[in-house]
Amino acid sequence: MSETIRTRYAPSPTGRMHVGNLRSALYEFLIAKHEGGAFLLRIEDTDQERYVEGAVDIIYRTLETAGLLHDEGPDKDGGFGPYVQSERMKTGIYMEYAKKLVEKGEAYYCFCDKERLESLRTEVVEGKEIMLYDKHCLGLSRAEVEEKLAAGVPFVIRQNIPNEGTTTFHDELYGDITVENAELDDMILIKSDGYPTYNFANVVDDHTMNITHVVRGNEYLSSAPKYQRLYDAFGWESPVYIHLPLITDETHKKLSKRSGHSSFEDLLEQGFLPEAVVNYIALLGWSPEENREIFTLDELIEQFDYRRISKSPAVFDYTKLKWMNGEYLKAMDPERFFELAEPYLRAVIHRDLDLKKIAAMVQTRIEIFPDIAEHIDFFEALPEYDAAMYTHKKMKTTAETSLAVLCDVLPLLEAQEDYSNDALYALLGGYVAEKGVKNGYVMWPLRTAVSGKQMTPGGATELMELLGKDESIARIKAGIAKLGGNV
RNA sequence: GGUUCCUUGGUCAAGCGGUUAAGACGCCGCCCUCUCACGGCGGAAACAGGGGUUCGAUUCCCCUAGGAACUGCCA
């Protein structure tokens, strides 16, 4: 298999990974793995200004918890290293390649200072400025360039793009895209600090690392022609391009850290499961052949056909993510659910109750773990509630009937020793049958008394089993008192 | 402003010339039920507009409109 697919995820270490980046990484991973190819991680830290301490670790951690294990990377040499651009720069690779371009006339030294560049800037409309470099330094003679270099004048190296003609590149999803060369700016390849720009390092690295499929967000679609010209200038075969549709927020703006959109880690902190997030974002911009939505990572690898990636942007729908997280929770093994839920349970319940049973009650009722609190708070302490809660039209109960029922049933419950759900249900079932009333007629007041809540994660008898005899009786008496009865 | 891309229900989306235009989330209703939830059943809700091409356009082409991205010595 000499034609093995190689994709790469090439983030800048600038903080947490937001969802858009993670989705790119996921697709890059899936495209490679679907074909049994390699997925590499390359750190693009050519911007020392934006570099954030510890960000590389965040990237490792995020990829690992998302399950997107890379085959090669800074911590996993595959023979194409280094995998960190600042380290690659020390080898002189970028300058070396830039000079090749200069020799070919495809790039040139530029000594223009900030002031001159500023003067080229023109305002187009309300504050928006554009700048197309005027190729001023392209006119410098070889001798002039040598002289300035020798004198130590700061310089950058720019790509030389002709003013005539067009450039075309091919994208697997978007097809052929052609632009006028005159529209293309002579972008900077090597910055004055000697670092390559993203644009240049990206092309050099993708080529030298044998990346076969360049997969990235389609915000790069408009600069792709410039990259294409670089490949052509070097005489390199261009990679397969796959530009991904953007993920946006509800106002249809691109998701970005800058705008404060949730990162993967934010979502985990909000109580989402990594596998649910991964599953959800896989479906943002791609759909499987079969009509299905829940996929494990392995199933995604199996199913992922990049030709089914869509071209239009997708809104990140928090509500649906929650639903999907809930699906994962419901399908989860009860033991594992309990392990994950336990901290949330303990945060609310400090008394000695059967937390496993409570976890089981709550498993089908929550979408994310933080939802647990509102469902179980009454176990810890009977909340303040209004006597009006005893009135329920469908149950045909009122404060009066409730009082009567509670008074009737109290002695039975006091005499009862077995407080298991089944035994209690049988006991009360007897009362219901004897009185010829509906279940709810007695269960509603009981559940209300015992929980003080409109809705609970279990029925009256289930709650009493958990609360135990003493606490149940105490709460029922409190209910009777609240309804004006004597205990 | 320029360039490029995008346009099926509120959202994710199937569709790839002929369909009653799937499905999912959300919403509404019913059933189940010791409340709620789960589960089951059902409902409202879409091809941006205009021209072509064609026997026939949601599907192909053009125009218009709307949206987005890019337009940094950031990626």
Side-chain angles (χ1 to χ4, degrees), chain A residues 192-213:
Chain A
S192 56
D193 62 4
Y195 274 85
T197 54
Y198 159 84
N199 310 298
F200 188 57
N202 207 260
V203 168
V204 170
D205 289 344
D206 282 343
H207 179 258
T208 56
M209 292 178 146
N210 282 359
I211 299 303
T212 60
H213 292 58

Side-chain angles (χ1 to χ4, degrees), chain A residues 52 84 124 130 132 153 165 179 213 260 308 350 442 485-486:
Chain A
V52 172
V84 179
V124 235
I130 56 162
L132 264 185
V153 180
V179 298
H213 292 58
R308 295 184 63 87
H350 304 294
V442 14
N486 293 316

Side-chain angles (χ1 to χ4, degrees), chain A residues 396-409:
Chain A
K396 295 194 164 45
T397 64
T398 63
E400 291 69 39
T401 66
S402 292
L403 177 58
V405 165
L406 292 181
C407 290
D408 269 5
V409 126

Side-chain angles (χ1 to χ4, degrees), chain A residues 85-362:
Chain A
Q85 287 183 333
S86 57
E87 285 171 30
R88 310 198 103 220
M89 198 193 73
K90 291 178 194 149
T91 69
I93 180 174
Y94 303 116
M95 189 58 87
E96 181 190 318
Y97 277 109
K99 282 180 175 165
K100 281 187 190 174
L101 253 24
V102 172
E103 280 158 28
K104 291 182 171 193
E106 296 284 352
Y108 58 95
Y109 288 91
C110 171
F111 301 93
C112 291
D113 57 27
K114 254 208 154 68
E115 288 67 45
R116 208 188 95 74
L117 260 20
E118 247 351 273
S119 71
L120 261 29
R121 207 169 272 283
T122 50
E123 179 170 327
V124 235
V125 59
E126 38 189 275
K128 292 204 74 178
E129 295 178 328
I130 56 162
M131 208 266 284
L132 264 185
Y133 185 62
D134 62 355
K135 287 180 181 289
H136 177 261
C137 290
L138 183 58
L140 262 29
S141 71
R142 200 179 186 97
E144 285 172 306
V145 170
E146 293 300 337
E147 188 189 316
K148 284 177 186 290
L149 287 178
V153 180
F155 69 91
V156 299
I157 295 179
R158 314 186 83 110
Q159 180 178 17
N160 182 21
I161 298 178
N163 282 324
E164 291 82 38
T166 61
T167 298
T168 299
F169 75 98
H170 180 78
D171 179 275
E172 284 298 298
L173 269 22
Y174 293 93
D176 285 342
I177 294 177
T178 301
V179 298
E180 295 287 332
N181 289 337
E183 298 290 339
L184 272 18
D185 189 33
D186 282 1
M187 69 174 177
I188 291 173
L189 270 21
I190 300 288
K191 307 185 230 181
S192 56
D193 62 4
Y195 274 85
T197 54
Y198 159 84
N199 310 298
F200 188 57
N202 207 260
V203 168
V204 170
D205 289 344
D206 282 343
H207 179 258
T208 56
M209 292 178 146
N210 282 359
I211 299 303
T212 60
H213 292 58
V214 169
V215 183
R216 46 154 78 124
N218 81 11
E219 65 263 39
Y220 294 104
L221 212 47
S222 34
S223 32
K226 296 179 191 172
Y227 306 145
Q228 183 59 49
R229 293 196 65 83
L230 248 20
Y231 279 97
D232 293 345
F234 278 120
W236 294 340
E237 188 189 342
S238 38
V240 173
Y241 294 106
I242 301 175
H243 286 91
L244 274 19
L246 261 19
I247 297 180
T248 74
D249 62 17
E250 50 290 336
T251 68
H252 303 282
K253 297 286 192 279
K254 183 176 86 167
L255 244 37
S256 69
K257 236 169 332 203
R258 175 69 205 262
S259 324
H261 294 118
S262 294
S263 69
F264 181 65
E265 296 199 318
D266 290 336
L267 293 174
L268 298 190
E269 284 166 8
Q270 286 164 33
F272 288 98
L273 297 164
E275 53 269 47
V277 176
V278 169
N279 191 157
Y280 176 67
I281 63 176
L283 265 23
L284 240 33
W286 175 83
S287 62
E289 214 163 337
E290 54 178 327
N291 192 10
R292 175 154 78 111
E293 297 197 295
I294 304 296
F295 292 93
T296 62
L297 229 209
D298 284 340
E299 289 168 338
L300 284 173
I301 290 173
E302 163 80 30
Q303 299 290 315
F304 202 82
D305 174 358
Y306 70 71
R307 279 159 298 207
R308 295 184 63 87
I309 295 174
S310 65
K311 292 191 281 195
S312 42
V315 173
F316 185 85
D317 185 355
Y318 201 80
T319 305
K320 185 151 186 181
L321 204 214
K322 279 176 107 166
W323 164 79
M324 188 169 282
N325 201 72
E327 291 299 295
Y328 272 80
L329 256 25
K330 277 182 286 186
M332 192 178 280
D333 172 73
E335 281 298 321
R336 174 148 187 258
F337 179 83
F338 174 65
E339 275 172 40
L340 296 174
E342 194 175 3
Y344 294 91
L345 260 15
R346 292 204 183 282
V348 177
I349 297 177
H350 304 294
R351 47 165 65 196
D352 185 28
L353 294 177
D354 188 339
L355 294 185
K356 279 201 179 184
K357 276 189 182 159
I358 295 179
M361 290 176 119
V362 109

